[in-house]
Amino acid sequence: MKVFKTGAVAAIAVTLALTATACGGSSDKEAGSTASGGAKDKVVIGIKFDQPGVGLKTPDGKYTGFDVDVATYVAKELGYTPEQIEWKQAVSAERENLIANGDVKFVVASYSINDKRKEKVDFAGPYFLAHQDLLVRADDTSITKAEDLNKKKLCSVTGSTSAQNVKTKLAPEADLLEQGGYSECLTGLENKAVDALTTDNSILAGYAAQDKNKGKFKLVGLSLSNENYGIGLKKGDKDLQTKINAALKKMVADGAWEAAVKKNFGPADYKNEPAPQITEGS
């Protein structure tokens, strides 16, 4: 009888231990990261896959761009090596969902901070100040301001707020052509089917800096809007926000931020703004 009781107690103890382990494994996992035995295995970060100079997945499966460099630096400060980063595509329309659902730990994807987005997510930063600008052919001297687009063909992607901003506020007589992607606009610009392409100057500089485009295009150098890029994260995660802000400040202080700007945008002769002051979370 004594032996039976001892065996029963042991069985119950094993069952309780297994139950506790199962519960702990599900509750301790952070959003956008996987943990094993308390060690950080990887972190999932959302970036753009289709913006040269900003966030690009190359044909050989590598990831390049200013946002990639910023995200890698931040991840390092959070305790992750580059090998522990899993990159996830964050198209504009899905950024808030990726964050809210815990599919990523944070998003670094030319993500402009605005009040509407802050209703759904929090931001760290900003880490970059971009402006809406125009990209024209390198030998074109006829477009020096937005109003010069009147009677000319302007290209942007379908649904672009940048193009509508020009059309409704600055050059109402511009002939707006909307394409599925910026690469189609670049082809049209090179072939003289359109006269200008508009979006954030950082994105335009990235395209112009590509080897195949060097010397073909130039930025007009306008500031048609202010776009403060921030790092999106789950609403209410003040600890992560504080850590990312600290990482961004360190990146600027040690020169890594400026080096990343020159590496990714320099070939386009891009006149970037200085690193902006951190405002989110303060």
Side-chain angles (χ1 to χ4, degrees):
M1 204 59 193
K2 203 176 234 181
V3 174
F4 171 77
K5 284 184 178 179
T6 302
V9 170
I12 291 169
V14 170
T15 301
L16 288 173
L18 289 172
T19 303
T21 301
C23 292
S26 61
S27 62
D28 292 343
K29 187 182 288 186
E30 296 179 56
S33 63
T34 58
S36 176
K40 295 178 179 178
D41 282 348
K42 68 176 182 178
V43 59
V44 185
I45 303 174
I47 59 169
K48 290 292 180 68
F49 278 15
D50 60 350
Q51 291 181 347
V54 180
L56 180 70
K57 182 179 181 180
T58 62
D60 59 357
K62 294 180 180 178
Y63 300 88
T64 65
F66 180 71
D67 280 354
V68 174
D69 290 343
V70 170
T72 301
Y73 190 100
V74 169
K76 178 195 71 173
E77 293 301 305
L78 294 176
Y80 298 95
T81 66
E83 293 73 28
Q84 290 174 298
I85 298 174
E86 178 183 322
W87 302 109
K88 191 173 185 67
Q89 185 172 21
V91 298
S92 296
E94 288 299 317
R95 288 177 297 202
E96 286 87 13
N97 290 334
L98 290 173
I99 294 168
N101 295 337
D103 296 323
V104 296
K105 193 171 184 69
F106 54 87
V107 166
V108 192
S110 54
Y111 201 3
S112 297
I113 301 170
N114 62 41
D115 290 339
K116 184 177 180 181
R117 288 169 178 164
K118 286 169 71 170
E119 292 175 2
K120 298 179 180 179
V121 301
D122 278 340
F123 285 95
Y127 64 92
F128 194 80
L129 174 57
H131 302 289
Q132 184 186 343
D133 200 354
L134 303 173
L135 190 72
V136 299
R137 288 181 291 277
D139 60 355
D140 189 344
T141 58
S142 68
I143 300 174
T144 59
K145 56 186 182 298
E147 290 78 9
D148 292 335
L149 291 170
N150 283 313
K151 308 294 186 182
K152 291 184 180 290
K153 292 183 172 67
L154 172 66
C155 192
S156 196
V157 297
T158 303
S160 166
T161 55
S162 296
Q164 294 301 327
N165 182 42
V166 172
K167 181 72 175 173
T168 59
K169 299 178 183 178
L170 303 170
E173 294 182 50
D175 183 5
L176 179 59
L177 175 66
E178 294 182 296
Q179 296 283 11
Y182 292 115
S183 58
E184 291 95 324
C185 285
L186 279 169
T187 300
L189 187 58
E190 184 176 3
N191 296 337
K192 299 187 177 181
V194 298
D195 301 298
L197 161 61
T198 188
T199 187
D200 294 356
N201 54 7
S202 58
I203 298 171
L204 295 176
Y207 277 107
Q210 285 186 293
D211 287 339
K212 65 181 180 180
N213 294 328
K214 285 180 182 176
K216 294 180 180 179
F217 310 110
K218 66 180 179 182
L219 279 77
V220 175
L222 305 180
S223 297
L224 304 178
S225 70
N226 293 327
E227 306 294 338
N228 281 291
Y229 291 174
I231 295 180
L233 55 131
K234 186 163 283 190
K235 201 162 184 62
D237 195 341
K238 298 301 180 185
D239 181 59
L240 180 59
Q241 185 184 51
T242 299
K243 289 178 179 177
I244 293 178
N245 280 337
L248 293 174
K249 290 177 182 177
K250 183 178 178 182
M251 187 177 186
V252 172
D254 67 15
W257 184 91
E258 187 67 30
V261 170
K262 289 180 179 177
K263 182 182 82 171
N264 292 292
F265 303 130
D269 196 26
Y270 176 53
K271 306 297 190 296
N272 66 283
E273 296 276 6
Q277 292 295 313
I278 302 293
T279 58
E280 299 303 305
S282 58

